[in-house]
Amino acid sequence: MSKHTLPDMLDDAALMSFEHQLYLQEFLGEHNWNVDLQEGRFEFSGERPLVCERFHLLGSAAPGPNSWMWGWANPSGFRPDLTAMSAAVRDFGREHDVPELASAEVAFGDLPGAPQEVPVVVGQLTDAAKLLTGRWFSYNGEVGGGTRVAFIIEHPDLRLPAPEPTRVMRVLQQGLMELRLTDHKRALYTYGRLRGLAPRFTDEERGTLLLSVPGLEARVSFDHLGRVGGINASVSNPDA
């Protein structure tokens, strides 16, 4: 069985998570959020009100102790159905020896890159949970003192549309600029597989990756260090 590591998981999740968060931002527009952990209610108000009666408490990151605490370990003792997803992530971490997922509390310095920014920490551990559970929409917000709490949210209206050329190219280009990717080849190949883009390397050296969807064929070239060197895209009318 292959070794699971958090850096590999973060590369696997990065672009798929990024596209879902772009979609969520556009879907909600200007908004406020409110959660009642006792009643089990998560709602957005604003341009597009939405009540997510099914949601999952992943955990929280606090700048005081510089640590992340998984939802299942929170001493407040939240409802088991709200923390079950974080417990499932814990079980995976224990089974596959991924300490960042298995431990109740994780110091910022023990995460890839030793980040000190709370949003980066939240993003890393949320992305790992997304990859493991296949639930890709998340939300996190500040709850005081710089602490941020992270959730996976579900709603029938939250569903990523089928891939189309303009959106795929935006995800690739913007994601490569903004995301902290360790292994570009892995990140793009996994995104292509998860998004149904029929990814395949065109040569034994894995120097070029082909991604395709109706209306788009993108050839991604990599340099000798495995970084993206360029994207050559051909866009056509998918109905032609």
Side-chain angles (χ1 to χ4, degrees):
M1 181 170 55
S2 61
K3 170 71 173 176
H4 294 271
T5 68
L6 186 57
D8 284 349
M9 294 170 66
L10 296 182
D11 282 333
D12 286 338
L15 290 165
M16 192 68 165
S17 175
F18 182 67
E19 182 172 8
H20 278 79
Q21 294 314 115
L22 285 177
Y23 179 81
L24 182 64
Q25 293 169 11
E26 296 166 356
F27 183 92
L28 294 174
E30 291 293 329
H31 67 275
N32 294 305
W33 69 285
N34 183 65
V35 62
D36 187 327
L37 294 173
Q38 300 302 319
E39 294 294 328
R41 183 180 177 90
F42 191 110
E43 61 184 329
F44 296 100
S45 59
E47 292 182 16
R48 194 165 189 172
L50 192 74
V51 176
C52 301
E53 294 182 351
R54 184 167 175 80
F55 66 96
H56 312 270
L57 172 63
L58 288 181
S60 58
N66 277 359
S67 66
W68 161 277
M69 178 174 289
W70 286 100
W72 61 266
N74 194 296
S76 299
F78 297 116
R79 288 170 27 182
D81 60 311
L82 297 181
T83 61
M85 182 174 287
S86 70
V89 174
R90 172 201 64 201
D91 294 344
F92 178 93
R94 290 177 176 175
E95 180 180 354
H96 296 280
D97 191 24
V98 186
E100 303 93 337
L101 307 183
S103 304
E105 192 169 3
V106 186
F108 290 1
D110 292 338
L111 293 169
Q116 295 304 305
E117 307 92 342
V118 168
V120 175
V121 171
V122 171
Q124 285 191 358
L125 293 170
T126 300
D127 276 2
K130 290 181 179 185
L131 181 70
L132 294 178
T133 64
R135 313 289 176 84
W136 289 97
F137 285 108
S138 68
Y139 193 86
N140 72 84
E142 188 169 345
V143 293
T147 296
R148 300 189 76 87
V149 61
F151 302 90
I152 295 291
I153 58 175
E154 298 184 70
H155 190 280
D157 291 345
L158 292 178
R159 182 173 300 180
L160 204 62
E164 55 89 19
T166 302
R167 176 53 63 104
V168 169
M169 289 303 300
R170 179 188 175 186
V171 170
L172 295 179
Q173 294 170 336
Q174 189 174 342
L176 286 168
M177 288 189 298
E178 297 182 9
L179 300 177
R180 304 182 183 190
L181 303 176
T182 302
D183 185 334
H184 285 196
K185 289 184 182 181
R186 184 184 185 109
L188 269 73
Y189 184 88
T190 305
Y191 171 68
R193 178 175 58 81
L194 293 173
R195 201 64 174 102
L197 305 180
R200 64 180 179 88
F201 289 100
T202 61
D203 55 303
E204 292 184 1
E205 291 75 23
R206 293 160 55 94
T208 302
L209 175 65
L210 180 65
L211 302 171
S212 59
V213 68
L216 171 69
E217 182 174 277
R219 291 181 177 271
V220 184
S221 60
F222 301 92
D223 64 19
H224 67 287
L225 296 176
R227 301 169 303 192
V228 171
I231 302 177
N232 186 1
S234 174
V235 180
S236 62
N237 182 353
D239 297 324

